[in-house]
Amino acid sequence: MAGDRQYSFQTGQKNEFQVLDYILFAGLLICSAGIGLFYAIKDRKKSNTKDFLLAGGDMNPIPVALSLLASFMSAITLLGTPAEMYNYTTIYWWIGLGYFFVILGAAHVYMPVFYRLRVTSSYEYLELRFGKTSRTIGAIIYVVQMTLYMSIVLYAPSLALNAVTGFTLWGSIWAVGLVCIFYTTIGGMKAVLWTDTFQVGMMLAGLLAVLIQGSIEVGGFSKAWERSVATGRINFVDFDPDPAIRHSFWTCVVGGCFTWLSVYGANQSQIQRAITCSTLRRAQLAYWLNWPGLCIILYLCAMIGTVIYAFYETCDPKTYGLITASDQLLPLFVLDVLGHIPGIPGLFVSCLFSGALSTLSSGLNSIAAVLLQDVLRVFCVGRITSETIATNASKIIALIFGFICLGLTYVASLLGGVLQAALALFGVIGGPLLGVFTLGMMFPWANEKGAVVGMLTSLTLMLWISVGYQIHKPKVATFSPISVEGCNWNISDKSPPPHLTSFYTNSLNQSSTLINSTITAAAEMTKEDSYNIMDRFYSLSYLWYSATAMIVVIGVGMAVSAITGFEKPSEMDPKLFCPIFDVFCPFLPEKIRKPLRFGVQYDKMKSCGEMEMDFQDKIDGKEEEASPLQGKKCRLRHFSCHVQLEFQLGYTMESSLFVWDQCLRLS
């Protein structure tokens, strides 16, 4: 460490932001707002939902990939992953392998179905496959999920920065929230995609600056790694399949895969971005380009966590009283190692809030799409009579929910410890939604009763488990030792905890002995507690929530479908299913693959052009029933007669619910 500088654990004082830091933070907000304003002016003559919600449907896969990356790599990820490395072990690195299987499944199983249907809202699929009830329930669950999550994403980094730096709490919340509402409302999806692209650059720049300077401070990353090895933080070989273990190889790879699959395979925010690409292959390319980005951010954050431990090796900031929660470690570290360089802490704040901005903008745009397609166009049929009205309604929805999220950040500030419970609930809600989409796409026998009962049963069970965990607080062993022997207790009003003063030793042999004994004791504690059935039940690792929820939906859904009467696969629309064995086993002979299609007639799937011609023939051939449509050019917006068609009226593309109703009657 630099000999001419004093750090927080030596002085007992935390650094504060300077004027230049605030200027850089303001620059981030101005650039984000400017991008939104640019696209609002550029596309001012385009007043339709396809441009506002789907960016015209012709986006390049690179900005789409970066937007996919930014949407859920939020400030919570940037703060939480370094804290994970500090408090636990490197076993969490394995989740990067889980990301590979996430992209594989999302890009080749779920995305082709959504893309063929060209749905604006993913919950339109549920009505096509099951019925209106499942669509409405799914849409409501999603809106609640995203509204809660967005308010937490905005509040958590603001609170962490305020606690460490004195950076204004409500000033940052309102500034970030209002700018995000502004550019999302006026600029639509194009503004969201391009601001996300800009914000990913800011995140990477901030993370690299922290990692490089932090490594220099501790004598190089190799030195930081050696110190983590000495205290047992480097661990990649935990292959215990017990689902109650918080993080193991199987928990991170398999459980983490399903956790993130609920985001990339069934979350409206991600699906809506992928559909903005002009072809399915481009949408899949955007997903695959996203995978290395996920790994880069994950491993940068993990490496920063290793460096943070090396820096605070002899003085744990939380025990010393410099911070109150682990998610404040990174802001404290930034001010300690980068506070002397003008503007760099401001760059870090911009990095952190770029994650929050991207999540907020993505969430607001997706909520606007869901409420327009799944609520207004379903239950307010007579009022949405043109694309202009629909576009304006989308903007109003984004505006309203933006302010709702701002209001909920104030509620979150009153919740205290319940804040972590709310984060757990977010993971719980995504699993049942993933389950109902999986049930629909891979089990052609399932019916609507099975889907609804399975989804509600799974949601209830997962809420029970997560709330039970928060109430009972099953013991989770922390295997990584900490020390306070290097803290300057002479200037503190606290005394060092007796059990920590001799807990750390510089001797590698003694340290290893201590770690082994700690692990053994923790293992015995876990075995002892496992005899309590309810504690065991509530101890399910949070990374297994999505997988458990999906299994419950499929199991209950198929059981209820069997009782109430299976659907006949041969009579179902093949566009609603994924021929999974054809996708992953195309090398198998046809005589083997055919029975694995379970009776679904994939060979009868019509192309877009064929569907358009069928509808045009129906319109032109039934003059008495379709006189208002006679001679109009029909273009299929979604590849199904159950959703809206677009007709060429003059020089503009207008959508009419009257036209929609006529189409439904003719088909």
Side-chain angles (χ1 to χ4, degrees), residues 35 126 156 158 190 194 309 565 600 616 651:
I35 293 172
L126 294 181
S158 301
K190 281 187 180 178
W194 286 110
Y309 172 70
V600 178
Q616 193 69 58
Y651 292 101

Side-chain angles (χ1 to χ4, degrees), residues 205-223:
L207 291 173
L208 284 171
V210 174
L211 177 61
I212 293 170
Q213 184 61 32
S215 297
I216 293 172
E217 291 285 336
V218 298
F221 184 77
S222 60
K223 293 290 185 182

Side-chain angles (χ1 to χ4, degrees), residues 15 52 60 109 124 131 197 252 266 300 356 358 380 389 404 421 440 442 462 516 523 602 614 627 646 650 659 661 663:
N15 294 321
F52 185 78
N60 185 285
V109 175
E124 293 175 51
T197 301
C252 291
L300 281 176
S358 59
C380 303
I389 293 176
I404 288 175
M442 299 184 191
M462 299 317 298
N516 291 333
Y602 292 109
D614 287 350
S627 55
E646 294 176 343
V659 169
D661 293 337
C663 172

Side-chain angles (χ1 to χ4, degrees), residues 281-337:
R281 186 160 306 261
R282 283 177 167 238
Q284 292 172 323
L285 176 61
Y287 264 50
W288 279 109
L289 289 174
N290 182 60
W291 175 54
L294 285 170
C295 293
I296 288 171
I297 290 182
L298 168 70
Y299 294 133
L300 281 176
C301 291
M303 291 168 72
I304 288 171
T306 300
V307 172
I308 290 176
Y309 172 70
F311 187 81
Y312 296 114
E313 179 184 21
T314 61
C315 184
D316 176 54
K318 186 176 178 182
T319 307
Y320 187 48
L322 289 171
I323 59 175
T324 58
S326 293
D327 59 8
Q328 298 168 10
L329 271 168
L330 182 56
L332 179 68
F333 177 69
V334 167
L335 287 176
D336 268 336
V337 303

Side-chain angles (χ1 to χ4, degrees), residues 533-548:
I533 296 177
M534 294 311 297
D535 275 356
R536 184 72 175 171
F537 183 65
Y538 296 136
S539 296
L540 179 69
S541 171
Y542 71 98
L543 285 178
W544 285 110
Y545 282 0
S546 286
T548 304

